[in-house]
Amino acid sequence: MNQAPIDRTGAWQRLMEHAEEMRGAHLSQLFVDQARGSAFTRRAAGLTLDLSKQRWSDATLSLLLDLAREAGVPEGIQALLSGAHVNVSEDRPALHTALRLPPEASLLVEGEDVVPGVHATLDRMATMVERLHARQWRGATGRPIHDVVNLGVGGSDLGPLMVTHALADYRPADAHHVAVHFASTMDGSQLADYLTRFNPETTLFVISSKSFTTIDTLSNARTARDWLMARLVEDGKDVDEAMVMRQHFVGVSAKPEKMSEWGIAEVNQLLFWEWVGGRYSLWGAIGLPIALVIGMANFRELLAGAHAMDEHFAQAPLADNLPVLLALAGIWNVNFLDIRAHSILPYDGRLEHFAAYLEQLEMESNGKSATHDGRQVGYSTCPVLWGQLGPNAQHAFYQLLHQGTQPVVCDFIAPLTRYDDVEDAATRDHLMAQHRLTLANCFAQSRLLMLGDDAIDEPGERPGHKRYRGNQPSTTLLLDRLTPATLGALIALYEHKVFVQATIWGINPFDQWGVELGKQIAGETERILAERDGLDRMDASSRALIEAVWRAEQEGER
Ligand code: F6P
């Protein structure tokens, strides 16, 4: 791919000129147009996307759509969905969308239909889930498994963690026998806690790692294996190591040979493919913890919702295409209004882990500065993205959003309906009132961020510390209700947004070379720390830090 840098195109230049005109505009003036709300709102797959509080106009959007066409977004979408090698640096497709194709579909990749393999894996997951829910999966001593601990990090943790939390209400009755937990940190913090509380006889570990080389996950896995062996084999419970491996470990990876080498029994290996990126992988075997919590039928609903968004992405005209519009709003903010901070603010406690999930999805995908042909970009790419539950963030960092010096764009996310199915009438009324209160806060905050002082009618001048300048842009995303299907659509919306932005910026959203060198240097540092040798290769700061550890160790030994 050797096209002109995007910032040299006519569309980009026209947007630069247009941005000069728009820079002085305040959102409160733009809202003089009463039709603005509906003009910038679109719906698809159970989601409503309101982009009217973006600091843009019809003319802006039209120029951005020109930019998308000039960058080849329609061709990019087609290439992504058809299995072309869009992951250029690793020369392979990025086919997470294939994981949610219905069984009757077909998709040829290098001459082979990948859909039957996808559904064969789903069927194997279903069998495991059924066995665990039916209390038929027994530990080495014959007791049914009660606790399942997912050992994984990054894409092998954040997606399943986020979705299991978001959809915990969808737990089917038979899933209550199994409790699902997550341990990701390399320091063993979460795992150490589990090992003090769980019974080894009834605990199963799922080792989730696409590469099966990630040190964080493998260190946790080794600790878990030794714990089980010490408690079950060495304690004389009449079980052998092979039984423990077979009854207490499942592996999920794209590397079957590495799983076998580690000791995972072949029947307990769930596979996925190199063409599924780690942070795009919750839709298949990596989603096993999700299926364990919500059941396989709801898991398939999650896939169906994502597939509905894929279909919309493939077919809707650019001007009505939710992922494209969301991406263009981001491009406008970062590249033309110079807004480089982006906050994700769900107004629903079930989406507690959504911001952390998006941090990886967006920043690991698009936190890049080299184009496909190796040039350094001359423009900004992914903004700094962070977030928290909106109502809690109101009591934490909204001060900065309202009165700080940084322009920040916010995504407000909320379900329209909640709690209407609570059985007890009095509790239902209370909870529905709490939901209304939460929506009121969500809408009030985006309005205040937009209008500033103009949001209230208060006569007279106010001192500087009580003034709100407003004009902070935001997006509001409403889910009809939070269900497996709408959550699937929401996640797919952001996945595709990331792809559209990467296409415009000319970068590869599917690799992550920026994290590799750190792993190598950490390995070297660990060797120096352990062997107490090689310090002379270190800089003065690192030397002092390492020496502090050695001193602490010596004091501990005394
Ligand atoms: O180091 C970054 C990364 O490779 C992520 O891209 C990935 O999601 C995570 O580590 C875990 O990788 P794996 O699933 O191979 O253990």
Side-chain angles (χ1 to χ4, degrees):
M1 228 181 283
N2 208 354
Q3 59 188 40
I6 192 69
D7 57 343
R8 303 276 166 76
T9 60
W12 187 281
Q13 294 310 319
R14 284 192 293 281
L15 275 160
M16 292 292 278
E17 287 158 24
H18 175 70
E20 281 303 310
E21 293 161 23
M22 290 297 288
R23 229 181 284 279
H26 195 285
L27 271 166
S28 58
Q29 295 156 359
L30 296 175
F31 266 88
V32 169
D33 174 5
Q34 293 295 321
R36 188 177 169 83
S38 55
F40 286 100
T41 298
R42 304 284 187 282
R43 264 189 69 76
L47 308 184
T48 302
L49 177 67
D50 174 1
L51 292 162
S52 62
K53 293 195 191 77
Q54 290 294 334
R55 226 190 287 162
W56 63 5
S57 65
D58 288 337
T60 322
L61 183 53
S62 153
L63 289 170
L64 285 163
L65 289 166
D66 289 346
L67 182 75
R69 281 185 281 267
E70 212 156 326
V73 168
E75 297 81 358
I77 296 174
Q78 165 66 18
L80 173 79
L81 300 178
S82 64
H85 284 208
V86 290
N87 180 349
V88 176
S89 69
E90 293 169 329
D91 192 20
R92 61 186 183 219
L95 269 178
H96 39 286
T97 50
L99 300 183
R100 48 226 194 193
L101 282 171
E104 62 279 10
S106 79
L107 180 68
L108 295 183
V109 175
E110 265 99 64
E112 194 195 325
D113 187 359
V114 297
V115 178
V118 163
H119 283 273
T121 301
L122 288 174
D123 292 343
R124 291 198 57 214
M125 283 169 69
T127 308
M128 287 185 179
V129 170
E130 264 164 41
R131 268 182 72 199
L132 281 155
H133 284 181
R135 313 188 83 204
Q136 282 167 3
W137 189 310
R138 290 169 188 277
T141 59
R143 295 184 57 186
I145 293 297
H146 177 267
D147 290 292
V148 177
V149 183
N150 187 73
L151 304 178
V153 71
S156 301
D157 168 66
L158 290 166
L161 174 69
M162 182 272 283
V163 177
T164 50
H165 202 82
L167 298 179
D169 294 350
Y170 287 85
R171 196 184 289 271
D174 57 358
H176 285 271
H177 305 301
V178 179
V180 175
H181 317 269
F182 293 86
S184 56
T185 64
M186 68 162 61
D187 67 354
S189 299
Q190 298 135 323
L191 183 65
D193 171 44
Y194 299 148
L195 301 190
T196 59
R197 294 192 284 122
F198 296 169
N199 181 348
E201 294 181 57
T202 55
T203 303
L204 173 80
F205 293 94
V206 179
I207 308 181
S208 295
S209 174
K210 179 180 174 185
S211 60
F212 224 79
T213 57
T214 304
I215 192 74
D216 318 48
T217 302
L218 292 184
S219 335
N220 275 329
R222 269 194 297 268
T223 303
R225 185 172 57 188
D226 287 354
W227 175 73
L228 285 174
M229 295 304 171
R231 303 298 164 93
L232 299 179
V233 181
E234 291 155 29
D235 257 12
K237 289 212 164 57
D238 194 27
V239 297
D240 62 23
E241 292 197 2
M243 266 165 84
V244 173
M245 292 309 297
R246 203 173 49 246
Q247 302 308 118
H248 293 267
F249 285 99
V250 168
V252 183
S253 180
K255 299 282 187 206
E257 67 293 347
K258 290 210 165 73
M259 285 196 277
S260 298
E261 217 174 282
W262 200 85
I264 306 278
E266 222 168 282
V267 284
N268 292 351
Q269 295 182 7
L270 286 174
L271 296 181
F272 64 110
W273 300 269
E274 289 296 348
W275 42 257
V276 180
R279 55 193 171 275
Y280 298 86
S281 63
L282 68 88
W283 314 103
I286 289 287
L288 180 65
I290 303 175
L292 273 172
V293 171
I294 66 174
M296 215 49 206
N298 284 323
F299 188 75
R300 289 184 200 275
E301 281 294 302
L302 179 82
L303 301 184
H307 179 64
M309 184 53 71
D310 298 341
E311 297 262 276
H312 167 81
F313 187 47
Q315 290 160 15
L318 291 192
D320 294 322
N321 197 306
L322 268 61
V324 172
L325 292 172
L326 195 58
L328 292 178
I331 297 271
W332 173 242
N333 287 319
V334 175
N335 296 115
F336 300 98
L337 298 183
D338 210 20
I339 302 176
R340 294 144 188 258
H342 191 152
S343 196
I344 304 296
L345 303 164
Y347 275 70
D348 185 317
R350 295 170 295 180
L351 293 173
E352 189 177 354
H353 299 289
F354 192 66
Y357 169 77
L358 275 195
E359 284 164 14
Q360 186 198 16
L361 179 67
E362 298 228 7
M363 295 197 283
E364 197 174 67
S365 296
N366 282 346
K368 318 257 163 86
S369 49
T371 59
H372 288 297
D373 47 14
R375 278 189 303 238
Q376 289 298 300
V377 296
Y379 40 84
S380 292
T381 59
C382 189
V384 174
L385 193 117
W386 92 105
Q388 202 192 110
L389 288 178
N392 295 9
Q394 287 179 195
H395 302 282
F397 60 76
Y398 272 41
Q399 169 64 40
L400 178 144
L401 302 183
H402 288 298
Q403 291 188 320
T405 54
Q406 301 296 329
V408 180
V409 58
C410 300
D411 286 7
F412 292 93
I413 304 170
L416 274 172
T417 308
R418 194 178 175 191
Y419 295 130
D420 53 338
D421 52 356
V422 171
E423 257 175 49
D424 176 67
T427 313
R428 181 172 64 237
D429 287 351
H430 277 301
L431 289 173
M432 284 179 75
Q434 285 192 252
H435 177 57
R436 213 173 303 121
L437 174 70
T438 307
L439 288 181
N441 272 268
C442 176
F443 302 162
Q445 290 294 338
S446 67
R447 183 157 176 268
L448 181 55
L449 283 169
M450 161 180 96
L451 296 175
D453 289 333
D454 290 348
I456 46 163
D457 262 342
E458 203 181 72
E461 269 292 292
R462 269 186 283 159
H465 63 272
K466 288 192 174 173
R467 306 268 310 265
Y468 293 74
R469 69 172 182 286
N471 214 20
Q472 293 273 44
S474 67
T475 294
T476 303
L477 242 169
L478 297 176
L479 290 74
D480 291 346
R481 46 173 86 234
L482 180 57
T483 64
T486 57
L487 183 64
L490 179 72
I491 302 167
L493 166 65
Y494 276 96
E495 285 179 347
H496 295 326
K497 168 214 161 172
V498 163
F499 176 72
V500 171
Q501 292 191 329
T503 306
I504 293 173
W505 287 324
I507 58 178
N508 180 2
F510 300 118
D511 63 10
Q512 57 281 325
W513 295 102
V515 301
E516 289 309 318
L517 199 51
K519 294 179 189 172
Q520 195 181 313
I521 304 282
E524 269 174 50
T525 311
E526 196 203 355
R527 272 190 297 283
I528 294 173
L529 265 172
E531 291 165 15
R532 302 200 171 192
D533 186 32
L535 204 56
D536 45 338
R537 292 202 298 277
M538 293 276 134
D539 59 89
S541 166
S542 307
R543 255 198 325 262
L545 295 170
I546 290 170
E547 282 168 344
V549 176
W550 288 343
R551 271 197 306 279
E553 283 176 355
Q554 268 161 9
E555 274 161 30
E557 280 159 18
R558 267 193 231 128

